[in-house]
Amino acid sequence: MSVLRHTFRSQLFKHLAYTTFFSIPHIHHLPSLSTFPFPLSSSSALYERQYQCYGRKLNPVAAKFSTSSKTSSSASPYLSVNIRCPRDAADALSETLLCFGASSTGMDEPDGCKHNDEICITSIFSVCDDVHKSISCAADSIGLREVPSYEIIMGYKSDWIMETQESFRPVEVTDGLWVVPEWRTPPDLQATNIILNPGLAFGTGDHPTTKLCLLLLHSLIKGGELFLDYGTGSGILAIAALKLGASLSVGLDIDPQAITSARQNASLNNIKPEMLQLHLVPSKNDPSLTGLMTECAEGQNLYGVGFINETGKYDVVIANILMNPLLDLADQIVSYSKPGAVVGLSGIISEQLPRIMERYSHFLEGIRVSKMDDWVCVSGTKKK
């Protein structure tokens, strides 16, 4: 049985710490194109991030390529990558792959693998991504000594989207709170229903980190709060906060696709732009975002592209990202909250909890931890 996880996560936001504070070199050397049966591009931000974080030559590994028999003149191609991974590293690798280019990851039970101590991770990449470098960097970042073996299959986006939509069903987060895909009918019309089409952004309501954050919001929002969603993805948390009674939600992300997805989801939920303000955080090393900022400065309406400088303003701040940016950006994340406000942190697994607790104990008091599966959500009150 295949278990869909981490679907559509915005991999770019996870590197906010690195794209903001480091100078990222441009990479010009790529493997010979004859190695690959599809085009590769060195212009992808993924290359910059990989080499910036892991600036060294990677050892080659054999990969087996095959092409799907299905073709379509109107469908966009993508790469489906099946990775055989040690079971004890599967969760970490599945999550980390999203930092290095995967649009989604899923895990198959070991009946699809040769050994019972293996799990097969299925991940989706763009045809422009260098899959080997992505897997190598992901494996190296979690301490795997060898790059897992993998197989690449060419697929087509129209088929993938249809199959993915079929896998999403309404999710009851708690009594009276549902996350409902746009193409499904809400099971309870009287409940608080968050209508969602995640597109290419993370946040379907099915992942434990999203559920933990939604449960935290459900317990905190009483009416009239100002909420900041640090790494908004599909906008699910920002939308939920408003539907639960917050007076304003602000969503922040580094991925333009996430901002587009969140804007569309706000519209699906009849939320006006002045209620849900979305901000694209630019990277000084990304010319496309620099261009957006220039246009914004010239007065064009780009729906909230730019920085937010309002520190000490928000009653509730939640950052559902990953451990490393949570550690690196702790001062910034907490700075947006008022004294006495609640800060929630998720996107972390249980074994990473001690580092998060140590880092945030300087800023927060009354820290609480909620768990779901192997994932945790940390919340506390900003010290006055």
Side-chain angles (χ1 to χ4, degrees):
M1 177 183 291
S2 176
V3 180
L4 192 65
R5 291 190 173 198
H6 319 307
T7 309
F8 301 124
R9 185 119 191 192
S10 167
Q11 70 268 22
L12 294 180
F13 184 83
K14 296 178 180 180
H15 293 279
L16 179 58
Y18 305 111
T19 58
T20 302
F21 300 115
F22 293 88
S23 174
I24 303 176
H26 290 279
I27 304 306
H28 301 285
H29 174 71
L30 290 174
S32 169
L33 292 180
S34 62
T35 307
F36 305 98
F38 41 81
L40 296 173
S41 169
S42 61
S43 63
S44 170
L46 172 62
Y47 290 95
E48 298 179 345
R49 285 163 176 78
Q50 289 171 341
Y51 276 84
Q52 184 277 316
C53 295
Y54 301 95
R56 58 182 182 275
K57 186 176 180 181
L58 299 168
N59 293 326
V61 64
K64 185 171 134 189
F65 296 87
S66 62
T67 303
S68 170
S69 60
K70 291 185 179 180
T71 59
S72 171
S73 59
S74 61
S76 301
Y78 68 92
L79 303 179
S80 178
V81 183
N82 300 318
I83 306 166
R84 290 180 176 175
C85 171
R87 178 181 290 274
D88 58 1
D91 273 328
L93 182 61
S94 183
E95 178 73 12
T96 308
L97 283 166
L98 295 160
C99 295
F100 294 100
S103 297
S104 68
T105 60
M107 286 193 280
D108 290 332
E109 290 303 314
D111 55 349
C113 296
K114 291 182 178 180
H115 307 290
N116 288 334
D117 59 351
E118 286 185 336
I119 278 187
C120 292
I121 298 176
T122 301
S123 54
I124 301 298
F125 286 85
S126 163
V127 293
C128 295
D129 289 334
D130 186 333
V131 173
H132 173 64
K133 287 186 173 66
S134 298
I135 296 174
S136 298
C137 286
D140 183 74
S141 71
I142 64 170
L144 288 181
R145 295 182 178 180
E146 297 181 358
V147 177
S149 61
Y150 59 90
E151 177 185 17
I152 300 177
I153 301 171
M154 184 76 80
Y156 291 87
K157 187 178 292 185
S158 59
D159 302 328
W160 172 45
I161 291 175
M162 185 176 298
E163 292 173 4
T164 302
Q165 286 186 344
E166 286 300 316
S167 71
F168 291 149
R169 300 184 183 279
V171 175
E172 186 176 23
V173 179
T174 188
D175 187 33
L177 178 60
W178 288 79
V179 179
V180 184
E182 178 189 6
W183 50 90
R184 301 279 186 178
T185 301
D188 182 358
L189 295 176
Q190 303 305 314
T192 300
N193 291 301
I194 303 166
I195 310 302
L196 209 65
N197 187 334
L200 294 177
F202 177 71
T204 64
D206 196 42
H207 192 271
T209 60
T210 309
K211 285 183 178 178
L212 288 169
C213 291
L214 287 169
L215 289 170
L216 178 62
L217 275 177
H218 189 263
S219 68
L220 292 175
I221 301 298
K222 306 300 180 184
E225 292 86 356
L226 305 181
F227 172 64
L228 176 65
D229 184 5
Y230 197 93
T232 194
S234 68
I236 182 172
L237 299 182
I239 292 167
L242 291 171
K243 289 208 162 189
L244 291 169
S247 61
L248 174 70
S249 281
V250 174
L252 180 69
D253 212 294
I254 199 173
D255 187 354
Q257 290 179 334
I259 298 298
T260 299
S261 178
R263 180 173 66 244
Q264 293 170 346
N265 286 324
S267 179
L268 288 176
N269 289 272
N270 298 313
I271 293 173
K272 297 180 179 179
E274 58 267 26
M275 298 291 293
L276 173 50
Q277 299 174 9
L278 298 168
H279 295 268
L280 179 64
V281 178
S283 164
K284 62 184 179 182
N285 298 287
D286 190 332
S288 64
L289 297 190
T290 302
L292 283 174
M293 291 301 295
T294 302
E295 292 179 7
C296 186
E298 293 174 353
Q300 296 189 25
N301 182 11
L302 292 173
Y303 200 88
V305 178
F307 290 108
I308 56 172
N309 298 312
E310 299 166 323
T311 58
K313 173 179 178 178
Y314 297 93
D315 301 294
V316 180
V317 175
I318 292 183
N320 181 20
I321 42 179
L322 281 176
M323 181 185 70
N324 284 336
L326 285 174
L327 295 174
D328 294 341
L329 300 172
D331 299 72
Q332 185 181 24
I333 292 169
V334 176
S335 72
Y336 289 115
S337 60
K338 296 177 180 177
V342 175
V343 177
L345 313 160
S346 196
I348 49 181
I349 57 178
S350 297
E351 64 188 41
Q352 298 169 337
L353 179 60
R355 294 186 64 186
I356 296 295
M357 295 286 284
E358 180 182 3
R359 182 75 172 97
Y360 281 85
S361 62
H362 302 290
F363 307 105
L364 306 177
E365 57 188 5
I367 295 179
R368 298 182 179 181
V369 178
S370 54
K371 297 184 179 182
M372 187 175 294
D373 297 336
D374 195 37
W375 298 89
V376 298
C377 178
V378 176
S379 61
T381 303
K382 184 178 179 179
K383 294 180 179 179
K384 297 181 179 179

